[in-house]
């Protein structure tokens, strides 16, 4: 109940959808959706109430694909949601560092192959980094990584045991099912069961 959340989205249609969902779920006193871009000038963000050092935690799920490589999706909205320039990850990290308070936590999910770029973008801003590789199945390569860190901390990086999504066939593992179906937490700071 004491949690307050701010959702940031640059597409007006998605902001409207988020606001509708916030209202439909009775969360208007705790959640708001703000229309802005992570690369917006500081004055514009301040005017929207997004002040520096004001959040305990900042979570991000930026577009995974490089807009300078490959063929963009035919639908403009999908193309924008799925791809960004390869150097834009630095903009996302800078925004996250600006928003989170000293000692606050940032968490970002990205493709596994982007891990070197994520670590480079986080290196001078966050410490006590935790890297959680996400694997589709045991024995298969990671497809995603969750990287989390603390602003102003200089503790070393920790590489966690893999999080495996599927067991036999398409069935989720018990750990994945408890999160996806039952609302269990994925606590990056605590050892996981069976890890």
């Amino acid at each position: 109940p004491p949690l307050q959340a701010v959702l940031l989205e640059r597409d007006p249609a998605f902001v409207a959808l988020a606001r509708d969902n916030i209202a439909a779920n009775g969360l208007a006193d705790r959640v708001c959706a703000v229309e802005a871009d992570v690369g917006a000038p500081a004055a514009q963000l301040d005017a929207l109430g997004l002040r520096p050092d004001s959040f305990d935690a900042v979570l991000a799920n930026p577009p995974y694909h490089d807009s300078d490589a490959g063929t963009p999706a035919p639908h403009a909205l999908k193309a924008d949601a799925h791809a960004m320039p390869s150097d834009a990850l630095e903009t996302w990290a800078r925004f996250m560092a600006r928003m989170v308070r000293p000692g606050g936590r940032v968490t970002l999910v990205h493709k596994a192959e982007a891990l070197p770029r994520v670590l480079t973008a986080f290196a001078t801003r966050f410490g006590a980094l935790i890297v959680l590789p996400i694997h589709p199945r045991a024995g298969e390569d990671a497809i995603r990584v969750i990287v989390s860190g603390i602003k102003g901390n200089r503790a070393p990086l920790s590489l966690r045991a893999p999080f495996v999504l599927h067991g036999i066939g398409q069935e989720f593992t018990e750990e994945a099912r408890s999160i996806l179906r039952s609302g269990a937490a994925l606590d990056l700071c605590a050892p996981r069961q069976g890890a």
Side-chain angles (χ1 to χ4, degrees):
L3 178 70
Q4 297 288 316
V6 176
L7 312 177
L8 180 68
E9 170 58 51
R10 70 180 183 180
D11 185 271
F14 287 149
V15 173
L17 179 62
R19 288 175 178 159
D20 288 347
N21 281 320
I22 290 165
N25 286 284
L27 297 171
D29 60 329
R30 297 176 39 205
V31 182
C32 71
V34 176
E35 183 183 335
D37 190 287
V38 295
Q44 181 183 343
L45 296 172
D46 285 347
L48 293 169
L50 300 173
R51 299 197 180 10
D53 301 330
S54 59
F55 293 90
D56 293 323
V58 176
L59 310 169
N61 183 11
Y64 293 155
H65 303 293
D66 183 351
S67 61
D68 303 325
T71 305
H75 190 277
L77 187 59
K78 188 172 184 177
D80 283 347
H82 290 188
M84 66 181 181
S86 60
D87 61 353
L89 198 51
E90 175 67 20
T91 302
W92 282 74
R94 186 170 49 249
F95 172 81
M96 295 172 80
R98 182 175 188 271
M99 292 294 114
V100 74
R101 67 170 174 75
R105 179 170 293 281
V106 298
T107 304
L108 182 137
V109 61
H110 213 298
K111 293 192 306 186
E113 66 193 54
L115 181 58
R117 291 189 297 120
V118 173
L119 293 177
T120 297
F122 276 22
T124 60
R125 297 177 170 101
F126 313 111
L129 294 178
I130 295 170
V131 178
L132 176 65
I134 309 295
H135 296 252
R137 288 174 185 74
E140 294 184 9
D141 289 346
I143 54 170
R144 300 285 183 264
V145 287
I146 298 175
V147 182
S148 186
I150 305 224
K151 183 176 178 176
N153 192 308
R154 294 294 167 235
L157 179 142
S158 172
L159 179 61
R160 295 302 166 98
F163 184 95
V164 178
L165 293 171
H166 298 282
I168 297 171
Q170 293 299 317
E171 292 294 318
F172 285 116
T173 61
E174 185 169 332
E175 187 178 13
R177 188 172 43 255
S178 69
I179 292 168
L180 297 171
R181 303 289 188 243
S182 303
L186 175 60
D187 186 352
L188 293 176
C189 300
R192 295 192 342 274
Q193 286 184 344

